[in-house]
Every structure is written in structure tokens, then in C-alpha cells.
Amino acid sequence: GCPTKIFHLGDYRREILGAEQPVSFFDPNDTAYTEQKAEIVKLAINDLKKFLDEEVALGRVAIYDASNVERSTRQWIVEELKDHGKVIFIELICANEEMIEESIRRARLKSPDYKALPVEDAVRDYKRRIALRQSVYETIDEKIEKVPFIKIHEGGRKIGISNIHGFLASRIIQFLLNVRI
């Protein structure tokens, strides 16, 4: 294998601000938290760059786990990382309400954000976060964005790939084909 590390934006947020944030924190149209969110993103991206630059050896994988729902954000990420490695975006698309509910209950409710909340309140809160992101969501469009990407629809029922080249990138695809997301 190759050295791999996950840079989860939520972990950075919790470390800096704590686990309990109002739902308005996740509203992309609410400017009250803009500066705080930008600082958290910069910290995560800078740590990611340091990880990629640690060794000269090829084959390091850094996963920036965040909701990059806007084209401008994705373009910023590409620019920030252009001298540090190849960027591949992975977009998860799901309109199936049962699958969304199952995903929230299976994975999201284990988050420290929801440790103190009853399950139904936590599910409601996470669905509100999703709705807020949907208000500004721009799917990756290969006609507009010339970036490598993998789109996973409905938990893996359909997978789209664009501009993917190289051994390590193909191994990532193979992995994603065999894992339930």
C-alpha cells in the first residue's frame, strides 16, 4: 500500500470550535461563520499539503473529506494543490430517501456532533444540513470543470469516471467499486 491519510473537515471544526454548532453554521448563505469556516479549511488544506510534501516517494494519498458542493470551492482546491499532487474529486449522488436515511443512521449518528442528541433529533439535524448544502449544490460537470472525478450514484449502483489516468487512480476506482458507500 501507499501512505494514506484522511483530512476530515468536521474533525478540524470540532477540534477548533467544539462538536455542538448551530445548524446555521452549515448554511452556506449565512455569513456569520464565514471567517471561522475559511480558517478551518485553510488549516486542513495546509496539513494536507504538508502530508503530501513529507516524502519525495510517489504514491501518497491524501483524502480531503468535506462537502465541496460549489464549483468555486473545487477550483480553489485544484489551485491550492496544483504543486502538491493530483486531485481527484469523488462526488456521491443519492436521491433515494431510504438510502439517505440508512446512511445517516449508520454513519453520521456516530459523529461526536450527535453524541448528546436523541437519534430522531440527530437525523432531523443532519437532514437540515443536507438541505442547506443542496441550496448551493453544483454537480461536477465535465463540460465546465476539467477536473478528474468519480461520481458514485445511489451507493454504487452507477459509477461515472472522467479524466482519470494512472495506476494509483485506477486502484482508487477499483477500491470504490468494491466498497459500500
Side-chain angles (χ1 to χ4, degrees):
C2 60
T4 303
K5 187 171 180 181
I6 298 172
F7 298 84
H8 189 282
L9 202 60
D11 291 341
Y12 282 82
R13 173 184 47 81
R14 283 184 286 276
E15 185 178 317
I16 293 167
L17 302 175
E20 295 180 23
Q21 296 302 313
V23 74
S24 59
F25 179 88
F26 303 94
D27 184 346
N29 299 309
D30 188 333
T31 58
Y33 303 99
T34 301
E35 286 182 30
Q36 287 177 311
K37 290 191 275 189
E39 287 304 314
I40 293 167
V41 167
K42 286 179 188 172
L43 182 61
I45 289 291
N46 286 336
D47 285 352
L48 187 149
K49 288 180 197 178
K50 288 176 193 169
F51 172 76
L52 289 174
D53 294 343
E54 276 177 8
E55 295 179 14
V56 184
L58 297 175
R60 296 176 75 76
V61 174
I63 300 168
Y64 178 61
D65 186 353
S67 299
N68 304 302
V69 297
E70 297 176 73
R71 282 188 193 101
S72 60
T73 303
R74 292 189 295 267
Q75 186 56 46
W76 179 83
I77 291 168
V78 168
E79 285 298 314
E80 282 294 306
L81 299 177
K82 69 182 177 190
D83 296 329
H84 303 275
K86 183 177 182 178
V87 173
I88 300 172
F89 289 97
I90 301 172
E91 182 174 5
L92 306 177
I93 301 169
C94 186
N96 181 313
E97 289 299 323
E98 288 177 17
M99 289 179 77
I100 293 169
E101 179 94 14
E102 179 189 341
S103 174
I104 292 170
R105 290 179 182 279
R106 186 181 71 241
R108 306 300 180 244
L109 295 183
K110 294 177 185 170
S111 164
D113 290 1
Y114 298 116
K115 178 172 62 173
L117 282 179
V119 171
E120 294 310 315
D121 292 347
V123 169
R124 239 184 331 275
D125 182 77
Y126 199 79
K127 285 183 176 182
R128 279 186 287 206
R129 291 184 189 187
I130 291 171
L132 289 169
R133 289 183 187 108
Q134 284 176 329
S135 71
V136 295
Y137 171 66
E138 297 170 297
T139 189
I140 299 173
D141 184 339
E142 65 187 321
K143 294 175 185 163
I144 298 170
E145 296 174 85
K146 305 297 182 202
V147 297
F149 68 83
I150 303 164
K151 287 189 181 191
I152 302 172
H153 299 262
E154 309 302 331
R157 287 190 171 84
K158 177 182 167 187
I159 295 181
I161 300 165
S162 181
N163 296 316
I164 302 291
H165 308 284
F167 175 77
L168 191 53
S170 67
R171 297 293 295 183
I172 292 169
I173 293 167
Q174 183 182 13
F175 172 77
L176 291 171
L177 286 171
N178 290 290
V179 71
R180 184 173 178 211
I181 298 179

